[in-house]
C-alpha cells in the first residue's frame, strides 16, 4: 500500500467549487489628465484596444470613476501600482503626477 495521500471525493469537489474572490481595479477621475492620456495608459499598461480604452476614459470622465478590470487580488494590486506610477500627463501643464486607482472586492 502506498503512503501517498489520495484526495477524497468531497475534497476534490471543494477544490473545484471554491473560487478566490474577484476584485475591481477602479480608476478615479481628476482634472489633470486628458482623455488621450487615459487611453494611452490603458493601451500601454493593459493592452486594451483603442475602443475599450476610450470607454474607460469616457466612464472615468462621465461617472468620476471606471472599472479598469475585474481579476484576482494580486493582479488588481499590480495594476493599481502600475497606474499610480505611470506619471504625469505631458499634455496638461498642471498635471504633476499619476492618476489614482484603488482595488475593491467585486460584488
Amino acid at each position: 500500500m502506498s503512503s501517498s495521500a489520495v484526495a477524497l471525493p468531497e475534497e476534490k469537489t471543494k477544490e473545484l467549487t471554491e473560487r478566490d474572490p474577484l476584485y475591481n481595479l477602479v480608476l478615479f477621475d481628476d482634472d489633470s489628465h486628458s482623455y488621450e492620456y487615459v487611453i494611452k495608459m490603458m493601451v500601454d499598461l493593459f493592452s486594451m484596444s483603442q475602443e475599450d480604452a476610450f470607454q474607460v476614459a469616457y466612464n472615468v470622465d462621465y461617472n468620476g470613476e471606471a472599472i479598469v478590470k475585474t481579476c484576482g487580488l494580486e493582479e488588481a494590486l499590480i495594476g493599481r501600482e502600475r497606474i499610480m506610477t505611470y506619471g504625469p500627463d505631458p499634455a496638461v501643464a498642471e498635471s504633476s503626477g499619476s492618476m489614482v486607482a484603488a482595488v475593491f472586492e467585486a460584488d
Side-chain angles (χ1 to χ4, degrees), residues 77-98:
L77 292 173
I78 291 168
R80 179 185 68 185
E81 181 68 21
R82 293 176 77 197
I83 288 171
M84 294 182 66
T85 59
Y86 192 69
D89 184 342
V92 178
E94 56 276 350
S95 180
S96 61
S98 301

Side-chain angles (χ1 to χ4, degrees), residues 24-71:
N24 291 326
L25 172 58
V26 179
L27 180 66
F28 295 100
D29 191 22
D30 62 36
D31 292 330
S32 59
H33 296 90
S34 63
Y35 263 60
E36 291 78 14
Y37 173 93
V38 174
I39 293 167
K40 182 174 182 344
M41 179 174 59
M42 293 297 106
V43 170
D44 289 351
L45 299 183
F46 303 103
S47 301
M48 284 188 187
S49 68
Q50 290 285 324
E51 295 79 18
D52 289 343
F54 176 83
Q55 193 62 50
V56 170
Y58 174 81
N59 287 337
V60 155
D61 185 43
Y62 187 77
N63 298 315
E65 62 185 47
I67 295 174
V68 174
K69 68 186 318 183
T70 301
C71 53

